[in-house]
Amino acid sequence: MSVAIHRAGWRFDNSYTRLPEPLFSRERPTAVSDPALVVVNAPLAAELGLDPDLLRDEGAGVFGGNEIPPGAEPIAQAYAGHQFGHFTNLGDGRAILLGEQIAPDGRRADLHLKGAGRTRYSRGGDGRAALGPMLREVVVSEGMHALGIPTTRGLAVATTGEEVLRATPLPGAVLTRVAASHLRVGTFQFARAVGETPVLEALLRHAIARHDPDLASSGEPAVAFLDAVVERQAALVARWMLVGFVHGVMNTDNMAVSGETIDYGPCAFLDAYDPTTVFSSIDQQGRYAYANQPMIAHWNLARLAESLLPLVHADEDAAIEAVRGVLDTFPARFERHYLAGGRAKLGLATAEDGDRDLFAGLLKWMHDHAADFTAMFAGLAARAATHDGDAPAVAAGGGASAAGADAFAAWRTTWRARLSREPGGHAEAVARMRRVNPVVIPRNHRVEEALVAAEAGDMEPFRRLLDAVRDPFAETAANEPYRAGAPAGCGRYRTFCGT
Ligand code: AMP
Ligand code: MG
């Protein structure tokens, strides 16, 4: 390792390695033949106390997995998960946790190499990742971050100089993922399945120390922790719904107790609004469709609750009753976050009883007329600003029918009347809408275009897209090409778990 990279600002602690042995395995990344950096996230590096220039110049060895930075103690984490409803023992089959970087502000962040080679949890897999999906994770997660939605982020992507064999040979890559932690619902399921209460207890203590230190002195830490996770997930999934995000593979191993969005596989944003939208080619039953996400989150949280039962009460019935009391709050909490966000999207700062119906009425119109989700709300802000009366153009082909236009006009009249009761007035309502309704999201056709170019060796479209999604609320000349919906006739977008 070069001497310089030692000085990049690494400051590791490895608290996970102090947990009981069955929760992880000491492993090292498998070296790759020709690591080369294609992405370094300079703003994120700076937040973590790492020198972006040094990383860019000298970091290929570390981010490709050939060199271990000073202070890191690499491991693979064990976890389990319900995948499409079926329980399986898993673990990091192609990822290595380098350790926890302590940022200058004291924040502790996991640095995790995804695609770093086989581990004892790899089962039949090759332990590797392809460049396209790793870049996709970077651009979509940066977009989510810019939208203010809690998420893991990409610090770097290194190509490996090796091919990975999927349906066809693809360029291999390693993503360095930064997360508040990689504690998943499935980590608790694994600890529960181990069958030793001290292991589960140690994991809970660790999770509380990392995410909910205020609960350390709680008389009922397991119930209090569950409550905190339920609240974070209710808020998170509401945020997804309000920007049209479809996670695509909400298995319990892909749900983080930190409340960050994690595991960007077949995820995508809605184009035309349709609640039944499924993008993933492997989600045949539509289990993880857009509209199902709150219900699935609730289901996953029930799996977390079950895992915690031995720590809740020695008597199982009493334990079940205690966690049920918490789980049952999920729908109302989700609804509260969702409605608050829906109000903001419509420009409302105050609450009235009819607001839910007002929001639902617009969504119904959007569904009936295949309106582009993002453009619709961005357009509403513009319309409120100009008092312009037209029904917005819709994705499906340049304008609603006459009946559609009338239906929109009727909705708009109700909305305008409601806006007129806002004490802050019109200008404030417009400003509020512009703060929450993005004009740029990582559009599916743009993401695809950038990844195809990157696979052919041209990173420019990816860089331009990344710049655009990092500034989602401002209409600028530069982001004009990234605001438009999918060109007509592209058909429904499909993602492949393509990993
Ligand atoms: P994911 O679909 O990325 O959430 O992965 C589900 C599980 O499969 C995780 O335990 C991964 O570590 C594992 N996995 C996915 N792809 C591979 C691979 N190419 N080699 C080994 N394990 C993998
Ligand atoms: Mg996963």
Side-chain angles (χ1 to χ4, degrees), residues 331-351:
R333 289 177 178 202
F334 169 79
E335 186 62 26
R336 182 168 53 76
H337 289 292
Y338 180 73
L339 184 53
R343 284 195 175 103
K345 287 182 90 67
L346 297 179
L348 308 175
T350 59

Side-chain angles (χ1 to χ4, degrees), residues 40-57:
V40 172
N41 188 335
L44 177 58
E47 276 177 41
L48 294 170
L50 295 168
D51 178 339
D53 296 326
L54 250 176
L55 296 185
R56 214 179 276 117
D57 295 344

Side-chain angles (χ1 to χ4, degrees), residues 79 177 184 253-254 263:
Y79 50 87
R177 177 159 71 187
R184 307 151 191 265
D253 50 303
N254 294 337
D263 229 313

Side-chain angles (χ1 to χ4, degrees), residues 79 83 90-95 114 118 121-129 166 184 249 251 253-254 263 497 499:
Y79 50 87
Q83 300 189 299
L90 300 159
D92 289 328
R94 55 158 170 176
K114 183 167 175 179
R118 289 180 49 80
Y121 310 111
S122 295
R123 299 173 294 166
D126 62 2
R128 291 300 185 189
R166 297 295 180 259
R184 307 151 191 265
V249 61
N251 296 332
D253 50 303
N254 294 337
D263 229 313
C497 206
T499 53

Side-chain angles (χ1 to χ4, degrees), residues 27-33 64-68 96 113 115-119 126-128 160 162 174:
E27 309 258 355
R28 293 177 71 87
T30 306
V32 301
S33 64
N66 291 13
E67 297 169 357
I68 303 299
I96 299 284
L113 302 178
R118 289 180 49 80
T119 72
D126 62 2
R128 291 300 185 189
T160 59
E162 297 169 8
V174 178

Side-chain angles (χ1 to χ4, degrees), residues 91-449:
D92 289 328
R94 55 158 170 176
I96 299 284
L97 178 64
L98 287 176
E100 302 142 29
Q101 167 79 5
I102 310 296
D105 65 1
R107 181 163 70 106
R108 180 180 288 262
D110 275 9
L111 299 193
H112 169 106
L113 302 178
K114 183 167 175 179
R118 289 180 49 80
T119 72
R120 100 194 228 198
Y121 310 111
S122 295
R123 299 173 294 166
D126 62 2
R128 291 300 185 189
L131 176 62
M134 298 306 101
L135 292 177
R136 187 184 167 74
E137 174 153 347
V138 171
V139 73
V140 180
S141 61
E142 282 303 287
M144 293 289 266
H145 177 72
L147 293 170
I149 299 176
T151 180
T152 66
R153 294 174 72 188
L155 176 61
V157 177
T159 49
T160 59
E162 297 169 8
E163 283 188 332
V164 294
L165 201 57
R166 297 295 180 259
T168 54
L170 295 169
V174 178
L175 163 71
T176 303
R177 177 159 71 187
V178 174
S181 82
H182 283 82
L183 298 169
R184 307 151 191 265
V185 168
T187 316
F188 285 85
Q189 291 181 286
F190 177 86
R192 171 78 204 261
V194 166
E196 296 167 31
T197 303
V199 172
L200 190 58
E201 215 157 27
L203 180 65
L204 177 65
R205 217 176 305 118
H206 175 87
I208 287 177
R210 282 192 85 159
H211 300 302
D212 299 286
D214 295 350
L215 304 182
S217 55
S218 161
E220 293 186 304
V223 175
F225 175 70
L226 177 66
D227 185 76
V229 179
V230 166
E231 176 59 23
R232 286 194 283 267
Q233 286 296 330
L236 178 66
V237 177
R239 303 293 302 273
W240 291 355
M241 302 300 283
L242 291 162
V243 296
F245 179 74
V246 184
H247 181 285
V249 61
M250 289 176 72
N251 296 332
T252 56
D253 50 303
N254 294 337
M255 183 187 263
V257 298
S258 64
E260 286 182 339
T261 310
I262 191 169
D263 229 313
Y264 291 83
C267 62
F269 285 82
L270 297 180
D271 292 302
Y273 177 67
D274 177 351
T276 67
T277 301
V278 177
F279 292 111
S280 170
S281 60
I282 57 167
D283 191 359
Q284 305 280 341
Q285 313 292 320
R287 179 180 171 92
Y288 299 137
Y290 171 79
N292 286 356
Q293 296 184 118
M295 185 199 58
I296 292 290
H298 193 191
W299 190 89
N300 288 350
L301 290 164
R303 308 288 79 75
L304 176 63
E306 282 166 6
S307 306
L308 292 170
L309 286 177
L311 305 181
V312 173
H313 206 287
D315 173 55
E316 195 173 2
D317 289 339
I320 290 172
E321 198 176 320
V323 301
R324 178 160 301 140
V326 175
L327 280 175
D328 286 350
T329 64
F330 179 87
R333 289 177 178 202
F334 169 79
E335 186 62 26
R336 182 168 53 76
H337 289 292
Y338 180 73
L339 184 53
R343 284 195 175 103
K345 287 182 90 67
L346 297 179
L348 308 175
T350 59
E352 286 187 14
D353 285 349
D355 295 345
R356 180 113 194 38
D357 288 347
L358 184 70
F359 192 50
L362 178 62
L363 291 173
K364 176 168 187 322
W365 186 90
M366 289 165 61
H367 187 197
D368 290 347
H369 298 93
D372 182 272
F373 188 89
T374 304
M376 179 80 205
F377 286 103
L380 271 190
R383 262 173 197 81
T386 60
H387 292 272
D388 165 357
D390 296 344
V394 295
S401 62
D406 287 350
F408 182 77
W411 179 85
R412 192 191 54 225
T413 302
T414 317
W415 175 50
R416 291 243 169 99
R418 175 66 185 84
L419 273 179
S420 70
R421 295 193 293 276
E422 279 296 308
H426 200 77
E428 257 188 37
V430 171
R432 195 173 300 123
M433 293 174 78
R434 292 211 157 119
R435 278 196 301 272
V436 298
N437 292 316
V439 294
V440 178
I441 53 158
R443 293 256 179 205
N444 301 322
H445 62 290
R446 288 295 183 192
V447 172
E448 219 49 45
E449 169 191 85

